[in-house]
Amino acid sequence: MIGILKRPIVTEKMTELQDKGFYAFEVDLHANKISIAQAVEKKFNVSVVSVRTIRHKGKAKSQMTRKGRFAGRTSMWKKAIVRLKAGEKIELFQNV
């Protein structure tokens, strides 16, 4: 369970969904829904109803320099949207 949850994702859209009990986290690429739910329940002491996961592909980036074109990619990452039991909240997000 160590290292499954990397960071919370706080955006306008996710802030609006917090009223309905949805919270988003960046998670490890190899984590599955069951391990994500267990990690959230253990860390925040809440009950998880459902987990949705999204794998974001890395973007291709290029930059022109004096010596020519420099090309690369950003890293892949995985996002998990967690729905909590009705009436439960994660206090970490309330202070942001």
Side-chain angles (χ1 to χ4, degrees):
M1 283 212 210
I2 297 172
I4 291 177
L5 300 176
K6 291 186 178 179
R7 67 180 180 94
I9 297 174
V10 182
T11 60
E12 285 185 43
K13 185 175 184 177
M14 289 314 303
T15 305
E16 290 176 9
L17 289 175
Q18 285 178 11
D19 296 336
K20 298 177 184 175
F22 291 94
Y23 296 91
F25 298 93
E26 181 180 342
V27 296
D28 183 46
L29 273 173
H30 305 293
N32 59 19
K33 293 181 180 187
I34 296 168
S35 62
I36 293 168
Q38 290 173 349
V40 170
E41 287 177 348
K42 183 176 180 183
K43 183 165 182 136
F44 299 107
N45 198 21
V46 292
S47 300
V48 175
V49 174
S50 67
V51 177
R52 298 181 200 168
T53 58
I54 302 119
R55 289 178 62 114
H56 291 276
K57 289 185 178 179
K59 294 182 181 179
K61 299 280 186 171
S62 63
Q63 179 179 2
M64 291 299 293
T65 63
R66 286 183 173 176
K67 299 198 180 216
R69 185 168 164 246
F70 175 75
R73 289 191 76 79
T74 58
S75 300
M76 287 185 66
W77 62 287
K78 190 172 191 177
K79 175 169 65 173
I81 300 174
V82 178
R83 183 172 163 220
L84 302 182
K85 190 175 176 182
E88 292 188 354
K89 294 184 179 182
I90 295 177
E91 296 301 322
L92 171 72
F93 291 94
Q94 305 306 320
N95 298 329
V96 174

